[in-house]
Amino acid sequence: MHGPAMSSWLLVALCAAAGSYCLLRLRDSVGEQRGSVGGEALMGFGMAAMAVPAAVLTPPRWVWAGYVVVFGGAALHTLLRAGGRGHRLHHLLGMLAMVYMAGVMTVAPAGAHSAHTVAGAAGTGSGAPLLTGVLLVYYAGYVLWAGARLLPVPATAGPEGGAGTALAGWGERPELALVCRLSMGIAMLAMLLTL
């Protein structure tokens, strides 16, 4: 999951920004939505931590095992409240992908943590190619789907002839939540490519 320094730092910034926005949304969320937004924040900050360049910080093996436990617990929590809804299943798959990536780093040879580069990591053979491929296909499809949902549509006037909720709070803007999810999907693609 560690690429060249500039790419890694951009990935850290993207994931940390997504996690921070999710924390802002968490403040305005209630009920079931609160758990979903909290899971997104956890994933954002978890991916940011995983993307820190190996030249700056090479965590010991037990840290990766800790990620497996944390995201495994989050996946179990998501599974228990999934109920077959699409967005929650997406969260479950994201948590399981985090478990998979952390598990790969836990069992990777000692030198592999610092040897990961965007161009050469795929050749290390540290991940299961079939599982990595399935996750790549899923996240590529998700990114395309989420990106297509952000395309502008003709605006319709509200009942009063106004533009609707132009002054809605940051946490109440569904397009920003979708941008956050799209950003994390892109980050997940980048991280999976380095396995």
Side-chain angles (χ1 to χ4, degrees), residues 43-74:
M43 281 190 56
F45 288 121
M47 288 193 304
M50 287 176 136
V52 172
V56 174
L57 175 69
T58 303
R61 201 173 298 274
W62 64 266
V63 171
W64 296 111
Y67 282 137
V68 170
V69 170
V70 167
F71 287 105

PDB file of all heavy atoms in Angstrom, residues 43-74:
ATOM      1  N   MET A  43     -12.972   4.281   7.972  1.00  0.00           N
ATOM      2  CA  MET A  43     -12.278   3.844   6.754  1.00  0.00           C
ATOM      3  C   MET A  43     -11.386   4.935   6.189  1.00  0.00           C
ATOM      4  O   MET A  43     -10.269   4.672   5.740  1.00  0.00           O
ATOM      5  CB  MET A  43     -13.289   3.387   5.701  1.00  0.00           C
ATOM      6  CG  MET A  43     -13.810   2.000   5.963  1.00  0.00           C
ATOM      7  SD  MET A  43     -14.762   1.340   4.611  1.00  0.00           S
ATOM      8  CE  MET A  43     -13.639   1.447   3.261  1.00  0.00           C
ATOM      9  N   GLY A  44     -11.868   6.181   6.186  1.00  0.00           N
ATOM     10  CA  GLY A  44     -11.063   7.281   5.655  1.00  0.00           C
ATOM     11  C   GLY A  44      -9.755   7.448   6.407  1.00  0.00           C
ATOM     12  O   GLY A  44      -8.677   7.512   5.815  1.00  0.00           O
ATOM     13  N   PHE A  45      -9.847   7.484   7.735  1.00  0.00           N
ATOM     14  CA  PHE A  45      -8.627   7.655   8.534  1.00  0.00           C
ATOM     15  C   PHE A  45      -7.751   6.400   8.502  1.00  0.00           C
ATOM     16  O   PHE A  45      -6.522   6.499   8.510  1.00  0.00           O
ATOM     17  CB  PHE A  45      -8.972   8.043   9.972  1.00  0.00           C
ATOM     18  CG  PHE A  45      -9.488   9.448  10.091  1.00  0.00           C
ATOM     19  CD1 PHE A  45     -10.740   9.699  10.621  1.00  0.00           C
ATOM     20  CD2 PHE A  45      -8.727  10.522   9.657  1.00  0.00           C
ATOM     21  CE1 PHE A  45     -11.219  10.992  10.727  1.00  0.00           C
ATOM     22  CE2 PHE A  45      -9.192  11.820   9.757  1.00  0.00           C
ATOM     23  CZ  PHE A  45     -10.448  12.057  10.289  1.00  0.00           C
ATOM     24  N   GLY A  46      -8.377   5.223   8.430  1.00  0.00           N
ATOM     25  CA  GLY A  46      -7.609   3.979   8.324  1.00  0.00           C
ATOM     26  C   GLY A  46      -6.823   3.914   7.028  1.00  0.00           C
ATOM     27  O   GLY A  46      -5.646   3.531   7.009  1.00  0.00           O
ATOM     28  N   MET A  47      -7.461   4.309   5.921  1.00  0.00           N
ATOM     29  CA  MET A  47      -6.764   4.309   4.634  1.00  0.00           C
ATOM     30  C   MET A  47      -5.664   5.368   4.630  1.00  0.00           C
ATOM     31  O   MET A  47      -4.598   5.150   4.046  1.00  0.00           O
ATOM     32  CB  MET A  47      -7.745   4.527   3.490  1.00  0.00           C
ATOM     33  CG  MET A  47      -8.618   3.323   3.245  1.00  0.00           C
ATOM     34  SD  MET A  47      -9.561   3.336   1.702  1.00  0.00           S
ATOM     35  CE  MET A  47     -10.474   4.831   1.809  1.00  0.00           C
ATOM     36  N   ALA A  48      -5.908   6.507   5.278  1.00  0.00           N
ATOM     37  CA  ALA A  48      -4.867   7.542   5.355  1.00  0.00           C
ATOM     38  C   ALA A  48      -3.647   7.010   6.099  1.00  0.00           C
ATOM     39  O   ALA A  48      -2.509   7.207   5.671  1.00  0.00           O
ATOM     40  CB  ALA A  48      -5.413   8.792   6.045  1.00  0.00           C
ATOM     41  N   ALA A  49      -3.886   6.306   7.201  1.00  0.00           N
ATOM     42  CA  ALA A  49      -2.768   5.746   7.969  1.00  0.00           C
ATOM     43  C   ALA A  49      -2.028   4.668   7.182  1.00  0.00           C
ATOM     44  O   ALA A  49      -0.795   4.584   7.238  1.00  0.00           O
ATOM     45  CB  ALA A  49      -3.282   5.172   9.287  1.00  0.00           C
ATOM     46  N   MET A  50      -2.773   3.858   6.440  1.00  0.00           N
ATOM     47  CA  MET A  50      -2.130   2.799   5.642  1.00  0.00           C
ATOM     48  C   MET A  50      -1.309   3.360   4.489  1.00  0.00           C
ATOM     49  O   MET A  50      -0.370   2.713   4.029  1.00  0.00           O
ATOM     50  CB  MET A  50      -3.196   1.855   5.072  1.00  0.00           C
ATOM     51  CG  MET A  50      -3.829   0.950   6.075  1.00  0.00           C
ATOM     52  SD  MET A  50      -5.122   0.001   5.245  1.00  0.00           S
ATOM     53  CE  MET A  50      -4.813  -1.617   5.919  1.00  0.00           C
ATOM     54  N   ALA A  51      -1.654   4.544   4.012  1.00  0.00           N
ATOM     55  CA  ALA A  51      -0.992   5.110   2.836  1.00  0.00           C
ATOM     56  C   ALA A  51       0.253   5.921   3.163  1.00  0.00           C
ATOM     57  O   ALA A  51       0.941   6.373   2.243  1.00  0.00           O
ATOM     58  CB  ALA A  51      -1.990   5.980   2.064  1.00  0.00           C
ATOM     59  N   VAL A  52       0.568   6.122   4.419  1.00  0.00           N
ATOM     60  CA  VAL A  52       1.773   6.885   4.783  1.00  0.00           C
ATOM     61  C   VAL A  52       2.980   6.201   4.142  1.00  0.00           C
ATOM     62  O   VAL A  52       3.139   4.974   4.237  1.00  0.00           O
ATOM     63  CB  VAL A  52       1.933   6.964   6.322  1.00  0.00           C
ATOM     64  CG1 VAL A  52       3.269   7.573   6.699  1.00  0.00           C
ATOM     65  CG2 VAL A  52       0.795   7.757   6.924  1.00  0.00           C
ATOM     66  N   PRO A  53       3.836   6.963   3.457  1.00  0.00           N
ATOM     67  CA  PRO A  53       4.980   6.359   2.766  1.00  0.00           C
ATOM     68  C   PRO A  53       5.859   5.536   3.712  1.00  0.00           C
ATOM     69  O   PRO A  53       6.120   5.938   4.846  1.00  0.00           O
ATOM     70  CB  PRO A  53       5.753   7.562   2.221  1.00  0.00           C
ATOM     71  CG  PRO A  53       4.769   8.661   2.165  1.00  0.00           C
ATOM     72  CD  PRO A  53       3.796   8.419   3.283  1.00  0.00           C
ATOM     73  N   ALA A  54       6.319   4.402   3.221  1.00  0.00           N
ATOM     74  CA  ALA A  54       7.156   3.502   4.026  1.00  0.00           C
ATOM     75  C   ALA A  54       8.478   4.158   4.410  1.00  0.00           C
ATOM     76  O   ALA A  54       9.057   3.822   5.439  1.00  0.00           O
ATOM     77  CB  ALA A  54       7.411   2.210   3.263  1.00  0.00           C
ATOM     78  N   ALA A  55       8.955   5.104   3.601  1.00  0.00           N
ATOM     79  CA  ALA A  55      10.205   5.799   3.933  1.00  0.00           C
ATOM     80  C   ALA A  55      10.040   6.650   5.189  1.00  0.00           C
ATOM     81  O   ALA A  55      10.994   6.900   5.916  1.00  0.00           O
ATOM     82  CB  ALA A  55      10.636   6.676   2.763  1.00  0.00           C
ATOM     83  N   VAL A  56       8.815   7.079   5.468  1.00  0.00           N
ATOM     84  CA  VAL A  56       8.547   7.903   6.646  1.00  0.00           C
ATOM     85  C   VAL A  56       8.251   7.027   7.848  1.00  0.00           C
ATOM     86  O   VAL A  56       8.736   7.278   8.949  1.00  0.00           O
ATOM     87  CB  VAL A  56       7.359   8.855   6.376  1.00  0.00           C
ATOM     88  CG1 VAL A  56       6.959   9.608   7.629  1.00  0.00           C
ATOM     89  CG2 VAL A  56       7.696   9.809   5.255  1.00  0.00           C
ATOM     90  N   LEU A  57       7.439   6.004   7.632  1.00  0.00           N
ATOM     91  CA  LEU A  57       7.010   5.153   8.738  1.00  0.00           C
ATOM     92  C   LEU A  57       6.761   3.743   8.226  1.00  0.00           C
ATOM     93  O   LEU A  57       5.914   3.536   7.357  1.00  0.00           O
ATOM     94  CB  LEU A  57       5.721   5.709   9.357  1.00  0.00           C
ATOM     95  CG  LEU A  57       5.085   4.875  10.456  1.00  0.00           C
ATOM     96  CD1 LEU A  57       5.966   4.881  11.710  1.00  0.00           C
ATOM     97  CD2 LEU A  57       3.703   5.409  10.790  1.00  0.00           C
ATOM     98  N   THR A  58       7.511   2.796   8.734  1.00  0.00           N
ATOM     99  CA  THR A  58       7.287   1.388   8.428  1.00  0.00           C
ATOM    100  C   THR A  58       6.790   0.733   9.709  1.00  0.00           C
ATOM    101  O   THR A  58       7.578   0.426  10.598  1.00  0.00           O
ATOM    102  CB  THR A  58       8.572   0.702   7.926  1.00  0.00           C
ATOM    103  OG1 THR A  58       9.055   1.412   6.789  1.00  0.00           O
ATOM    104  CG2 THR A  58       8.309  -0.743   7.546  1.00  0.00           C
ATOM    105  N   PRO A  59       5.472   0.541   9.802  1.00  0.00           N
ATOM    106  CA  PRO A  59       4.935  -0.010  11.036  1.00  0.00           C
ATOM    107  C   PRO A  59       5.349  -1.454  11.256  1.00  0.00           C
ATOM    108  O   PRO A  59       5.517  -2.217  10.293  1.00  0.00           O
ATOM    109  CB  PRO A  59       3.420   0.101  10.868  1.00  0.00           C
ATOM    110  CG  PRO A  59       3.175   0.383   9.445  1.00  0.00           C
ATOM    111  CD  PRO A  59       4.448   0.826   8.823  1.00  0.00           C
ATOM    112  N   PRO A  60       5.508  -1.850  12.504  1.00  0.00           N
ATOM    113  CA  PRO A  60       5.813  -3.259  12.778  1.00  0.00           C
ATOM    114  C   PRO A  60       4.617  -4.138  12.426  1.00  0.00           C
ATOM    115  O   PRO A  60       3.501  -3.658  12.258  1.00  0.00           O
ATOM    116  CB  PRO A  60       6.088  -3.282  14.282  1.00  0.00           C
ATOM    117  CG  PRO A  60       5.533  -2.019  14.826  1.00  0.00           C
ATOM    118  CD  PRO A  60       5.451  -1.037  13.700  1.00  0.00           C
ATOM    119  N   ARG A  61       4.858  -5.422  12.316  1.00  0.00           N
ATOM    120  CA  ARG A  61       3.839  -6.390  11.911  1.00  0.00           C
ATOM    121  C   ARG A  61       2.602  -6.347  12.819  1.00  0.00           C
ATOM    122  O   ARG A  61       1.489  -6.503  12.361  1.00  0.00           O
ATOM    123  CB  ARG A  61       4.459  -7.788  11.909  1.00  0.00           C
ATOM    124  CG  ARG A  61       3.732  -8.781  11.081  1.00  0.00           C
ATOM    125  CD  ARG A  61       4.480 -10.101  10.982  1.00  0.00           C
ATOM    126  NE  ARG A  61       5.775  -9.998  10.342  1.00  0.00           N
ATOM    127  CZ  ARG A  61       5.972 -10.055   9.026  1.00  0.00           C
ATOM    128  NH1 ARG A  61       4.963 -10.194   8.230  1.00  0.00           N
ATOM    129  NH2 ARG A  61       7.178  -9.977   8.522  1.00  0.00           N
ATOM    130  N   TRP A  62       2.795  -6.088  14.106  1.00  0.00           N
ATOM    131  CA  TRP A  62       1.653  -6.095  15.024  1.00  0.00           C
ATOM    132  C   TRP A  62       0.679  -4.953  14.741  1.00  0.00           C
ATOM    133  O   TRP A  62      -0.498  -5.052  15.043  1.00  0.00           O
ATOM    134  CB  TRP A  62       2.104  -6.088  16.485  1.00  0.00           C
ATOM    135  CG  TRP A  62       2.859  -4.868  16.912  1.00  0.00           C
ATOM    136  CD1 TRP A  62       4.219  -4.704  16.925  1.00  0.00           C
ATOM    137  CD2 TRP A  62       2.310  -3.638  17.393  1.00  0.00           C
ATOM    138  NE1 TRP A  62       4.554  -3.453  17.384  1.00  0.00           N
ATOM    139  CE2 TRP A  62       3.387  -2.780  17.681  1.00  0.00           C
ATOM    140  CE3 TRP A  62       1.013  -3.177  17.609  1.00  0.00           C
ATOM    141  CZ2 TRP A  62       3.211  -1.485  18.150  1.00  0.00           C
ATOM    142  CZ3 TRP A  62       0.839  -1.890  18.089  1.00  0.00           C
ATOM    143  CH2 TRP A  62       1.927  -1.066  18.352  1.00  0.00           C
ATOM    144  N   VAL A  63       1.157  -3.853  14.152  1.00  0.00           N
ATOM    145  CA  VAL A  63       0.256  -2.750  13.796  1.00  0.00           C
ATOM    146  C   VAL A  63      -0.706  -3.206  12.710  1.00  0.00           C
ATOM    147  O   VAL A  63      -1.909  -2.930  12.762  1.00  0.00           O
ATOM    148  CB  VAL A  63       1.052  -1.505  13.353  1.00  0.00           C
ATOM    149  CG1 VAL A  63       0.143  -0.440  12.763  1.00  0.00           C
ATOM    150  CG2 VAL A  63       1.841  -0.943  14.526  1.00  0.00           C
ATOM    151  N   TRP A  64      -0.175  -3.937  11.713  1.00  0.00           N
ATOM    152  CA  TRP A  64      -1.043  -4.469  10.651  1.00  0.00           C
ATOM    153  C   TRP A  64      -2.045  -5.457  11.231  1.00  0.00           C
ATOM    154  O   TRP A  64      -3.212  -5.471  10.833  1.00  0.00           O
ATOM    155  CB  TRP A  64      -0.207  -5.110   9.549  1.00  0.00           C
ATOM    156  CG  TRP A  64       0.670  -4.126   8.839  1.00  0.00           C
ATOM    157  CD1 TRP A  64       2.027  -4.055   8.901  1.00  0.00           C
ATOM    158  CD2 TRP A  64       0.256  -3.056   7.996  1.00  0.00           C
ATOM    159  NE1 TRP A  64       2.479  -3.004   8.144  1.00  0.00           N
ATOM    160  CE2 TRP A  64       1.412  -2.380   7.569  1.00  0.00           C
ATOM    161  CE3 TRP A  64      -0.987  -2.601   7.553  1.00  0.00           C
ATOM    162  CZ2 TRP A  64       1.368  -1.273   6.724  1.00  0.00           C
ATOM    163  CZ3 TRP A  64      -1.027  -1.491   6.710  1.00  0.00           C
ATOM    164  CH2 TRP A  64       0.138  -0.849   6.307  1.00  0.00           C
ATOM    165  N   ALA A  65      -1.597  -6.262  12.187  1.00  0.00           N
ATOM    166  CA  ALA A  65      -2.526  -7.193  12.847  1.00  0.00           C
ATOM    167  C   ALA A  65      -3.594  -6.413  13.614  1.00  0.00           C
ATOM    168  O   ALA A  65      -4.758  -6.825  13.656  1.00  0.00           O
ATOM    169  CB  ALA A  65      -1.760  -8.122  13.788  1.00  0.00           C
ATOM    170  N   GLY A  66      -3.229  -5.272  14.180  1.00  0.00           N
ATOM    171  CA  GLY A  66      -4.199  -4.408  14.848  1.00  0.00           C
ATOM    172  C   GLY A  66      -5.243  -3.871  13.880  1.00  0.00           C
ATOM    173  O   GLY A  66      -6.434  -3.806  14.207  1.00  0.00           O
ATOM    174  N   TYR A  67      -4.794  -3.510  12.663  1.00  0.00           N
ATOM    175  CA  TYR A  67      -5.745  -3.081  11.629  1.00  0.00           C
ATOM    176  C   TYR A  67      -6.722  -4.210  11.300  1.00  0.00           C
ATOM    177  O   TYR A  67      -7.909  -3.963  11.106  1.00  0.00           O
ATOM    178  CB  TYR A  67      -5.018  -2.679  10.342  1.00  0.00           C
ATOM    179  CG  TYR A  67      -4.372  -1.316  10.353  1.00  0.00           C
ATOM    180  CD1 TYR A  67      -3.106  -1.129   9.838  1.00  0.00           C
ATOM    181  CD2 TYR A  67      -5.046  -0.201  10.860  1.00  0.00           C
ATOM    182  CE1 TYR A  67      -2.504   0.111   9.827  1.00  0.00           C
ATOM    183  CE2 TYR A  67      -4.450   1.051  10.845  1.00  0.00           C
ATOM    184  CZ  TYR A  67      -3.186   1.200  10.325  1.00  0.00           C
ATOM    185  OH  TYR A  67      -2.604   2.434  10.314  1.00  0.00           O
ATOM    186  N   VAL A  68      -6.207  -5.429  11.221  1.00  0.00           N
ATOM    187  CA  VAL A  68      -7.075  -6.573  10.933  1.00  0.00           C
ATOM    188  C   VAL A  68      -8.153  -6.684  12.014  1.00  0.00           C
ATOM    189  O   VAL A  68      -9.339  -6.875  11.708  1.00  0.00           O
ATOM    190  CB  VAL A  68      -6.261  -7.886  10.827  1.00  0.00           C
ATOM    191  CG1 VAL A  68      -7.177  -9.099  10.783  1.00  0.00           C
ATOM    192  CG2 VAL A  68      -5.356  -7.859   9.601  1.00  0.00           C
ATOM    193  N   VAL A  69      -7.769  -6.543  13.266  1.00  0.00           N
ATOM    194  CA  VAL A  69      -8.727  -6.652  14.375  1.00  0.00           C
ATOM    195  C   VAL A  69      -9.733  -5.506  14.331  1.00  0.00           C
ATOM    196  O   VAL A  69     -10.949  -5.722  14.439  1.00  0.00           O
ATOM    197  CB  VAL A  69      -7.983  -6.693  15.732  1.00  0.00           C
ATOM    198  CG1 VAL A  69      -8.960  -6.570  16.888  1.00  0.00           C
ATOM    199  CG2 VAL A  69      -7.165  -7.968  15.849  1.00  0.00           C
ATOM    200  N   VAL A  70      -9.261  -4.281  14.161  1.00  0.00           N
ATOM    201  CA  VAL A  70     -10.158  -3.115  14.159  1.00  0.00           C
ATOM    202  C   VAL A  70     -11.153  -3.205  13.004  1.00  0.00           C
ATOM    203  O   VAL A  70     -12.368  -3.054  13.199  1.00  0.00           O
ATOM    204  CB  VAL A  70      -9.354  -1.800  14.083  1.00  0.00           C
ATOM    205  CG1 VAL A  70     -10.250  -0.615  13.765  1.00  0.00           C
ATOM    206  CG2 VAL A  70      -8.611  -1.562  15.388  1.00  0.00           C
ATOM    207  N   PHE A  71     -10.657  -3.448  11.802  1.00  0.00           N
ATOM    208  CA  PHE A  71     -11.555  -3.479  10.655  1.00  0.00           C
ATOM    209  C   PHE A  71     -12.369  -4.769  10.602  1.00  0.00           C
ATOM    210  O   PHE A  71     -13.474  -4.780  10.068  1.00  0.00           O
ATOM    211  CB  PHE A  71     -10.792  -3.220   9.354  1.00  0.00           C
ATOM    212  CG  PHE A  71     -10.391  -1.789   9.232  1.00  0.00           C
ATOM    213  CD1 PHE A  71      -9.080  -1.402   9.440  1.00  0.00           C
ATOM    214  CD2 PHE A  71     -11.333  -0.816   8.964  1.00  0.00           C
ATOM    215  CE1 PHE A  71      -8.723  -0.077   9.360  1.00  0.00           C
ATOM    216  CE2 PHE A  71     -10.986   0.515   8.883  1.00  0.00           C
ATOM    217  CZ  PHE A  71      -9.676   0.890   9.078  1.00  0.00           C
ATOM    218  N   GLY A  72     -11.840  -5.839  11.184  1.00  0.00           N
ATOM    219  CA  GLY A  72     -12.643  -7.054  11.324  1.00  0.00           C
ATOM    220  C   GLY A  72     -13.829  -6.814  12.250  1.00  0.00           C
ATOM    221  O   GLY A  72     -14.961  -7.234  11.966  1.00  0.00           O
ATOM    222  N   GLY A  73     -13.594  -6.112  13.364  1.00  0.00           N
ATOM    223  CA  GLY A  73     -14.683  -5.752  14.275  1.00  0.00           C
ATOM    224  C   GLY A  73     -15.684  -4.824  13.612  1.00  0.00           C
ATOM    225  O   GLY A  73     -16.903  -4.979  13.786  1.00  0.00           O
ATOM    226  N   ALA A  74     -15.189  -3.864  12.835  1.00  0.00           N
ATOM    227  CA  ALA A  74     -16.089  -2.953  12.120  1.00  0.00           C
ATOM    228  C   ALA A  74     -16.902  -3.709  11.065  1.00  0.00           C
ATOM    229  O   ALA A  74     -18.082  -3.426  10.868  1.00  0.00           O
ATOM    230  CB  ALA A  74     -15.285  -1.832  11.465  1.00  0.00           C
TER     231      ALA A  74
END
